[in-house]
Amino acid sequence: MNFERGTTNRAREISLKWISENLTDSKEVISLGLPEYDDRFDAWRVPLHHQNGKKVHLGEIKLNNQAESIVGFTEVSLIKERIKKIKDHKPEKAQKRRKTLFQPAAIPNQVILGNSLNVLSDFPPDTAQLVFTSPPYFNAKPEYSEYVDYQDYLDFMGEIIKKCHEILSEGRFFIINTSPVLIRRTSRNTSSRRLAIPFDLHVIIEKMGFEFIDDIIWAKPEGAGWNLGRGRRFKADRNALQYKPVPVTEHVMVYRKKTDKLIDWNLRNHHDPQLVEDSKILGDYDVTDIWKIHPGHSKIHPAVFPDELAKRVIQYYSFKKDLVLDPFGGTGTTGRVAQKMDRRFLLIDNEIRYFHHMKNYFEQLEIGGRVDFDIHESFQIK
């Protein structure tokens, strides 16, 4: 739709008049955002911001398709409540801005046997430029990991996430692959229990200083989850209330370390512009938030994610030469793929079998650069 040159100005004028009439006591702290035409609703929208330096969103004014009259707006009482909340909030002490990104420390590829809570404490800020991991699923596979109770598991994960936040570079990404877990029933007279792990972890991750960006769905081929037994009873009986779909998806949850800087800042202030250029994604890419990938398999580990999943995450969310951290290294998928994609890696795991598996793999490579192997002082044989 074509608009005359003065449409934007008219939208501003009408919006300012509405503010003067309806928010008289607060008009000095309100500024207008850029008026934009919303083609889905054939209307103009004018954002309202608070002039506190951060342009906190207060609401919006909606005008007709020619920006001639107001057809909707955020409730005045809600706008006033948001202004009051900002006024009552004590501003945090301003932090000194960095003019440029710190050049990543020259940390070589490392595989460490030990408890991640202890190991990560040894590393300084800006160690990692991407965290990608798939944590243990609470008591889903006892041979892999067991916790006292679900809260114990969540508390443990919270501590790990906090440590990752401390050593992740500003504005960089924390990506975690999880899915709901079925806790099998203990007897025929009890029900199984399904834990919404991704959603419980989401609350914890945000509290630890990360901003939610995306929830990418990893979709496996139909039938991939049939071995779990979920849905078999419904297939046989077809009774209402018994329906349970076979799970063939997992959540790849994407977060960014909170910062007042846009992602462009990470691009413009990178210590090596050529690496930014060399890391561009060329050719086909995933347009939607559904990634169709076959699951991974391992005779050593009961819950590996596929190389292809790691490849996409590393390609989309890091630059070449960045260090990729996986605090639950497992059999080394993240490190193996990172190395192939010209990234460095830091893998940590507390299971000696996986440590030896990773050590054997990387030692047999003829190329790929130096890899250090270390047994942390915190390691204890189970």
Side-chain angles (χ1 to χ4, degrees):
M1 179 179 289
N2 295 322
F3 300 102
E4 60 185 72
R5 191 176 184 84
T7 305
T8 301
N9 290 335
R10 187 163 60 247
R12 289 182 182 276
E13 292 173 2
I14 294 175
S15 298
L16 288 171
K17 182 180 178 182
W18 182 88
I19 292 172
S20 297
E21 294 174 350
N22 295 274
L23 296 162
T24 305
D25 297 336
S26 305
K27 60 182 181 181
E28 289 78 12
V29 301
I30 300 176
S31 64
L32 300 180
L34 178 66
E36 292 185 317
Y37 174 71
D38 186 342
D39 55 2
R40 293 175 302 170
F41 296 93
D42 191 24
W44 281 80
R45 298 184 184 275
V46 182
L48 304 180
H49 299 309
H50 192 285
Q51 297 182 23
N52 66 342
K54 294 185 179 180
K55 291 188 177 181
V56 177
H57 179 73
L58 297 174
E60 71 171 19
I61 297 173
K62 183 180 177 183
L63 298 91
N64 68 356
N65 60 9
Q66 293 298 321
E68 297 170 328
S69 61
I70 294 176
V71 296
F73 50 81
T74 303
E75 290 186 17
V76 173
S77 61
L78 183 57
I79 294 175
K80 289 182 177 180
E81 185 65 28
R82 287 172 176 167
I83 292 173
K84 182 179 183 300
K85 187 174 182 180
I86 294 171
K87 182 180 179 181
D88 294 341
H89 177 70
K90 293 181 180 180
E92 296 179 2
K93 191 174 182 179
Q95 295 182 349
K96 187 176 181 180
R97 285 175 173 266
R98 286 197 232 162
K99 292 183 179 179
T100 59
L101 279 176
F102 289 164
Q103 182 164 340
I107 296 174
N109 298 320
Q110 292 190 53
V111 178
I112 301 176
L113 176 62
N115 187 317
S116 288
L117 287 178
N118 303 110
V119 176
L120 292 175
S121 297
D122 294 344
F123 288 90
D126 291 295
T127 290
Q129 288 71 57
L130 169 65
V131 178
F132 176 46
T133 192
S134 181
Y137 290 170
F138 170 72
N139 293 6
K141 297 183 178 182
E143 72 277 15
Y144 181 33
S145 62
E146 280 196 281
Y147 300 86
V148 174
D149 54 29
Y150 189 44
Q151 189 58 53
D152 178 51
Y153 169 80
L154 294 177
D155 291 343
F156 167 73
M157 286 303 304
E159 290 299 314
I160 293 290
I161 294 165
K162 180 180 179 182
K163 294 292 184 182
C164 289
H165 182 274
E166 291 173 356
I167 70 171
L168 183 65
S169 293
E170 183 174 7
R172 292 308 198 94
F173 290 88
F174 174 90
I175 301 174
I176 186 166
N177 168 222
T178 60
S179 68
V181 165
L182 182 68
I183 304 300
R184 300 183 184 279
R185 60 183 183 175
T186 57
S187 70
R188 297 184 65 87
N189 296 323
T190 59
S191 299
S192 58
R193 183 185 177 198
R194 193 155 169 81
L195 302 175
I197 290 180
F199 313 111
D200 290 334
L201 286 180
H202 166 75
V203 177
I204 296 171
I205 294 169
E206 287 204 321
K207 284 183 178 179
M208 294 301 168
F210 290 98
E211 177 184 9
F212 175 72
I213 302 297
D214 274 309
D215 177 19
I216 295 169
I217 302 301
W218 165 22
K220 306 169 190 177
E222 185 175 346
W226 192 253
N227 63 312
L228 299 177
R230 198 166 193 262
R232 291 183 179 179
R233 183 174 181 182
F234 179 78
K235 182 179 181 181
D237 300 339
R238 302 299 178 94
N239 290 324
L241 311 186
Q242 289 184 340
Y243 172 73
K244 292 178 181 177
V246 178
V248 294
T249 63
E250 295 192 23
H251 297 260
V252 181
M253 302 163 69
V254 181
Y255 298 84
R256 186 175 181 237
K257 187 172 181 177
K258 281 187 179 178
T259 175
D260 59 354
K261 301 175 181 67
L262 300 176
I263 290 176
D264 285 351
W265 177 83
N266 290 95
L267 298 172
R268 292 193 306 269
N269 295 285
H270 193 280
H271 68 282
D272 188 340
Q274 187 58 51
L275 288 177
V276 175
E277 183 66 24
D278 293 344
S279 303
K280 283 189 173 181
I281 290 84
L282 305 176
D284 295 335
Y285 66 96
D286 293 278
V287 179
T288 74
D289 58 0
I290 298 179
W291 295 358
K292 296 181 179 180
I293 303 173
H294 283 261
H297 300 283
S298 172
K299 295 180 180 179
I300 301 172
H301 196 290
V304 295
F305 51 70
D307 286 17
E308 180 61 27
L309 181 63
K311 177 184 176 182
R312 296 189 197 187
V313 168
I314 293 170
Q315 181 180 37
Y316 293 148
Y317 297 104
S318 70
F319 300 118
K320 290 186 176 182
K321 306 302 181 183
D322 279 352
L323 186 140
V324 184
L325 163 66
D326 187 348
F328 301 105
T331 57
T333 303
T334 297
R336 184 172 65 250
V337 176
Q339 190 175 52
K340 291 178 181 178
M341 300 179 71
D342 198 16
R343 274 76 165 172
R344 293 171 297 130
F345 60 83
L346 171 57
L347 307 177
I348 307 168
D349 207 284
N350 204 34
E351 173 55 61
I352 196 168
R353 288 182 303 147
Y354 304 152
F355 174 77
H356 286 308
H357 174 79
M358 290 187 281
K359 190 172 186 292
N360 291 335
Y361 172 81
F362 289 113
E363 284 182 339
Q364 290 175 10
L365 291 180
E366 296 181 358
I367 58 174
R370 167 186 167 191
V371 180
D372 288 350
F373 304 94
D374 184 36
I375 299 177
H376 195 265
E377 60 186 6
S378 66
F379 174 70
Q380 295 180 348
I381 299 177
K382 299 176 181 179

